[in-house]
Amino acid sequence: MAKNDKAFNLEIIYCGAWGGLPEANYASKVIRTVFPKVDINQHTPGKTSNLVIKYDGKEIYNKVNGDGKFR
């Protein structure tokens, strides 16, 4: 599978408690494997028990709303 070279922005919002950062880092690593030029804004609003990935302000992944743990 060819890697995509187009640059774009993603936002990863993760739970700041109970191990949310490793899951966010894993998601970033997987995304960067396929999209090496992606610009990822990774941050936490605090304790949320969630992992959300947004593209162009639109939610494309939500752990709590039924997408499950990022694997």
Side-chain angles (χ1 to χ4, degrees):
M1 181 155 119
K3 292 183 180 180
N4 188 322
D5 287 334
K6 287 188 175 184
F8 62 95
N9 300 317
L10 280 181
E11 182 178 15
I12 297 179
I13 306 160
Y14 65 93
C15 178
W18 303 107
L21 181 58
E23 190 174 26
N25 287 339
Y26 177 71
S28 292
K29 182 179 175 182
V30 169
I31 292 165
R32 282 196 176 104
T33 298
V34 179
F35 303 101
K37 292 185 179 182
V38 66
D39 180 25
I40 297 176
N41 176 15
Q42 187 172 297
H43 61 92
T44 180
K47 185 177 179 182
T48 63
S49 301
N50 202 359
L51 177 70
V52 176
I53 301 174
K54 293 183 177 184
Y55 168 70
D56 197 22
K58 296 176 185 158
E59 194 173 279
I60 60 171
Y61 174 87
N62 187 319
K63 175 181 173 180
V64 172
N65 286 345
D67 290 328
K69 188 173 181 177
F70 193 88
R71 299 175 196 252

